[in-house]
Amino acid sequence: MKHSLVRQTIIDTASNLFYQNGYNLTGINEIIREAGIAKATLYSHFKSKDDICVAYLKNRNDTFLQQIKAFAEKQEAGKSQVLGVFDFLSLFFKDKSFNGCWCINTFSEIPRENSKIRTEIQNQKKEFLELVEGLVVTNYPDLSQKDQKIIAKQVYLLYESAISESHIHQEAWPINATREMADAILK
C-alpha cells in the first residue's frame, strides 16, 4: 500500500473507533488490528496516540466544514442559509452513527495538561465560529460588523448546545428548539 493510503487507513480506522468508543477506550492495538497493519507501520506514520487523535480531529473537522458549508450555501439566500447549520445538524442527528460532537467528546476525555489536543479542538471551534460568521456576513450585509459578530456567536452557541443536548437526550427536540431560537434572532 502507498504511504499516504496507509496513513489514511489508520486515520479512518482510528476516527471510527474514537468517535464510537471514545478516545480513552480505544487502544493502539485495537487500531492496529482493525486497520490490518503492523505496529511498526502505525508508528512509522504516527509517533503517539495523541498524534493519531489530532489527525482524527482534523480529518473529521475538514469533512464537517466542507459538508456543512456546502449544505448551508445551497439553501435560499438570507435567513435560510444561516439556519441551514441546524438543518444540517438535524440530518446528522438522524444518521445511525451519530454520537454527538467529536470535539466535545474528545475534550471531555483528555487531561487538562494535554495542550496538543486541547489546542486542536479550540482551533476547530474557532473555525466553525468563523464559518457561521461568514454565513451571517454574507446574508446580513446591512448589519454592522459588531452586530454580525454578536449574531454569529449567538447562532454558534445555539448550535453547540443543540449538538450536545441532542446527544445527551438522544432526541431531536434540542435541535428544533435552538433552530427556533436562532430564527427569532435572525430578524
Side-chain angles (χ1 to χ4, degrees), residues 49-63:
K49 186 177 173 186
D50 282 359
D51 289 341
I52 299 169
C53 185
V54 169
Y56 147 67
L57 292 167
K58 286 181 179 181
N59 188 57
R60 282 266 178 185
N61 191 57
D62 290 347
T63 301

Side-chain angles (χ1 to χ4, degrees), residues 71 75 79-90 154-155 158-159 161-162 172-186:
F71 182 90
Q75 309 309 306
K79 186 189 287 194
S80 294
Q81 283 194 5
V82 180
L83 293 176
V85 299
F86 296 96
D87 299 334
F88 181 87
L89 178 56
S90 242
Q154 291 171 337
V155 170
L158 288 170
Y159 178 94
S161 171
W173 70 260
I175 300 167
N176 300 330
T178 55
R179 187 189 190 284
E180 288 175 18
M181 293 166 76
D183 186 46
I185 291 168
L186 299 164

